[in-house]
Amino acid sequence: MAHKLPAAGRYGTLHDQHTTAPPGASLERTRKVVDAMEKEILKEVPQIGLILLLGMSAKNAILIVEFTRDYHKQGVSVIQAAQEAGQVRFRPIMMTALAFVFGVLPMLFATGPGANSRIALGTAIVFGMSMNAFIGTLFVPTFWAFMQNLSDKIRNKAAKTTNNSVV
C-alpha cells in the first residue's frame, strides 16, 4: 500500500512547507517554544521546593509544640516550658537544617543542561530552609506561649462565669 502525502491545502503539501519557509524560521520558532517552556518550568520548580519547606517547617513546629506541651503538663510555667522546648529542640533542628542545606547546595551552583531549573529549586530550598531554621525556632515557642496564655485566660474566664451562675 502506497503512503499518501497530505492533500495540498492552504500551505501546500508538507514538502512545500519545508522548502518555502524562510531560512532559520523553524529554529526561531523552536527557540521561542523552548524559552516559553523554560519560563513556565522556572515558575513551577521553586513551588516544589516550597512544598518541601512547608513539610520540614511543620515537622519542626510539631516537635517543638509537643515538647512544650509535655513540659507544661509536668507543671512548668508556660514561658519556661516554651524556653526549655526551644533549647532542647534547637540543636536537632539546626543539624537537620544544615545537613539539608549542605546537601542541596550543589543545586545552587549547577551548570550545564537544565541548570536553570536546578538553580531555581536550590535557591528556594537553601534560603527557605535557612530562614525556617532560625525564624521557626524563635517564633514557634513564642507563638505557642502566647496562644497558651490566651487559652488559659479564656478557660479561667469561662470557669468563673460558670461558678458565678451556679451560686
Side-chain angles (χ1 to χ4, degrees), residues 53-165:
L53 287 172
L54 284 172
M56 293 293 286
S57 300
K59 178 193 76 87
N60 290 340
I62 289 168
L63 288 171
I64 289 174
V65 169
E66 184 179 331
F67 273 73
T68 308
R69 290 180 71 195
D70 289 344
Y71 286 131
H72 188 57
K73 284 180 183 176
Q74 293 173 1
V76 179
S77 72
V78 172
I79 302 290
Q80 187 64 31
Q83 287 175 345
E84 287 182 25
Q87 289 172 353
V88 168
R89 292 300 307 159
F90 182 75
R91 182 172 177 244
I93 288 172
M94 286 300 150
M95 289 173 60
T96 302
L98 288 173
F100 192 57
V101 165
F102 286 131
V104 176
L105 209 54
M107 291 178 80
L108 193 59
F109 304 111
T111 59
N116 288 340
S117 62
R118 281 184 249 137
I119 290 170
L121 181 61
T123 302
I125 291 175
V126 167
F127 293 108
M129 194 63 191
S130 300
M131 296 304 293
N132 170 47
F134 293 108
I135 293 174
T137 53
L138 297 174
F139 176 74
V140 171
T142 305
F143 187 71
W144 181 85
F146 171 75
M147 294 304 290
Q148 187 64 37
N149 283 332
L150 184 65
S151 175
D152 289 346
K153 285 180 184 178
I154 291 171
R155 280 191 199 133
N156 290 339
K157 190 174 185 179
K160 286 180 184 178
T161 306
T162 307
N163 289 338
N164 289 341
S165 64

